[in-house]
């Protein structure tokens, strides 16, 4: 589904991504871990061209995104849902409108169709009874679950998560991870940046350890957590586990 080749990104003289290679197959869950400042967010933002790579290739469903004109990119971005640390809901709209806005505007769905799907998604994240609520009346965990449902409302082929639980109070982390775990089990292709090592162990097909702008090591959760080979991986894990 996604194939990244020698992806580089510099901000001025600061080389933030120094040559990333990786493949994400359909239905796979990739969890990206690593120290702060290592380039994880920049990598995710490059994947859907929120950030323009300096060089390298990003093939998505067979098309090299770095070669596509901006107009075509909008179609591609619709197929990549993104969930951020800060929930970014539209604060002036209730939950239902948050979910139906883009499907109506961008995909041309009619009101009834968009609402039906939105309700199904809200049920899936356990928030159907909050459909008329405004974001400010919801807890952080609830807002993040709405944000996930909103991304899913566009029927994406892949979901990108950038530290989706980092801004939450500890007691709300579990409910969001549960939604993500259910999504993974439903077969969604996912790339998840997180510091939640329990989630990585349980849900990842592959863990990518990213540090200093490249992926130092990739492997199954067992390989990475029980038998890391790279000194940088070992050092990072020894500090957090
Ligand atoms: P991580 O998500 O792993 O913490 P980031 O991708 O956020 O890492 O950041 C990696 C590096 O890129 C940092 O040194 C950061 O300062 C730099 N960086 C990120 N975004 C920008 C930007 N828009 N302009 C300049 N530098 C940036
Ligand atoms: Mg980050």
């Amino acid at each position: 589904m996604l194939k990244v080749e020698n992806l580089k990104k510099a901000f001025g003289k600061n080389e933030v991504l120094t040559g990333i290679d990786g493949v994400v197959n359909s239905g796979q869950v990739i969890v990206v871990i690593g120290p702060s400042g290592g380039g994880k967010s920049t990598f995710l933002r490059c994947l859907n061209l929120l950030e323009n790579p300096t060089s390298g290739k990003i093939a998505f469903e067979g098309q090299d995104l770095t070669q596509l004109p901006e107009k075509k990119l909008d179609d591609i971005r619709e197929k990549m849902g993104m969930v951020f640390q800060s929930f970014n809901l539209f604060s002036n709209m209730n939950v239902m409108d948050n979910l139906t806005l883009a499907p109506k505007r961008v995909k041309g769905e009619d009101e009834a169709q968009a609402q039906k799907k939105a309700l199904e998604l809200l049920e899936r994240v356990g928030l159907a009874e909050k459909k008329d609520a405004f974001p400010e009346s919801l807890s952080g965990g609830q807002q993040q679950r709405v944000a996930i449902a909103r991304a899913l409302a566009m029927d994406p082929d892949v979901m990108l998560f950038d530290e989706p639980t980092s801004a939450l109070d500890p007691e709300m982390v579990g409910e969001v991870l549960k939604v993500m775990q259910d999504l993974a089990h439903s077969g969604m292709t996912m790339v998840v940046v997180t510091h939640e090592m329990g989630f990585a162990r349980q849900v990842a097909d592959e863990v990518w350890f990213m540090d200093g702008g490249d992926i130092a090591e990739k492997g199954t959760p067992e390989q990475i957590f029980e038998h890391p080979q790279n000194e940088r991986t070992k050092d990072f894990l020894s500090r957090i586990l």
Side-chain angles (χ1 to χ4, degrees):
M1 179 165 291
L2 270 167
K3 185 174 186 188
V4 178
E5 284 177 71
N6 204 16
L7 180 70
K8 296 185 183 177
K9 173 68 185 178
F11 294 104
K13 285 198 174 136
N14 186 8
E15 288 195 24
V16 172
L17 302 179
T18 59
I20 308 261
D21 293 286
V23 172
V24 183
N25 291 312
S26 182
Q28 257 189 335
V29 178
I30 306 293
V31 172
V32 182
I33 63 170
S36 200
K40 303 181 300 298
S41 294
T42 304
F43 172 57
L44 273 197
R45 293 167 59 79
C46 281
L47 279 186
N48 68 357
L49 276 283
L50 276 178
E51 213 60 88
N52 243 326
T54 308
S55 64
K57 267 185 166 180
I58 301 168
F60 176 60
E61 299 177 337
Q63 283 184 297
D64 182 0
L65 302 189
T66 59
Q67 302 300 322
L68 288 182
E70 186 63 27
K71 262 188 94 178
K72 281 255 169 78
L73 280 179
D74 286 339
D75 298 342
I76 300 283
R77 287 196 190 102
E78 281 173 38
K79 297 183 178 184
M80 299 194 193
M82 184 132 184
V83 176
F84 302 90
Q85 183 173 334
S86 53
F87 329 118
N88 293 335
L89 295 175
F90 308 121
S91 57
N92 58 333
M93 290 178 201
N94 68 18
V95 166
M96 177 57 83
D97 291 342
N98 263 276
L99 263 69
T100 58
L101 181 74
K104 286 191 292 187
R105 280 222 188 135
V106 181
K107 299 187 82 162
E109 292 183 14
D110 66 36
E111 185 71 43
Q113 196 182 7
Q115 289 210 13
K116 180 169 179 283
K117 188 168 61 181
L119 255 188
E120 284 166 10
L121 288 167
L122 287 173
E123 257 155 39
R124 202 160 145 191
V125 302
L127 289 171
E129 81 281 10
K130 297 289 187 192
K131 69 181 173 58
D132 300 317
F134 279 79
E136 63 181 9
S137 71
L138 302 177
S139 72
Q142 289 171 332
Q143 289 188 51
Q144 193 61 304
R145 285 186 281 150
V146 172
I148 294 170
R150 183 178 62 174
L152 291 172
M154 290 296 283
D155 300 316
D157 290 344
V158 57
M159 286 281 285
L160 310 175
F161 292 87
D162 193 0
E163 299 198 30
T165 60
S166 294
L168 297 176
D169 291 335
E171 74 272 21
M172 292 168 189
V173 169
E175 68 196 55
V176 172
L177 293 178
K178 170 74 168 56
V179 164
M180 292 168 62
Q181 185 163 15
D182 290 347
L183 190 59
H185 288 152
S186 79
M188 177 60 76
T189 309
M190 297 165 56
V191 181
V192 182
V193 174
T194 186
H195 296 294
E196 293 294 330
M197 297 301 145
F199 179 86
R201 277 175 198 266
Q202 283 171 21
V203 183
D205 294 300
E206 264 184 31
V207 177
W208 295 0
F209 172 69
M210 200 167 165
D211 179 32
D214 75 47
I215 297 172
E217 186 166 0
K218 285 188 191 123
T220 63
E222 195 195 335
Q223 283 167 341
I224 296 293
F225 292 113
E226 315 303 336
H227 312 287
Q229 301 297 310
N230 186 290
E231 289 306 321
R232 289 185 283 161
T233 320
K234 288 182 194 173
D235 179 56
F236 175 72
L237 292 174
S238 74
R239 282 183 283 123
I240 61 158
L241 294 178

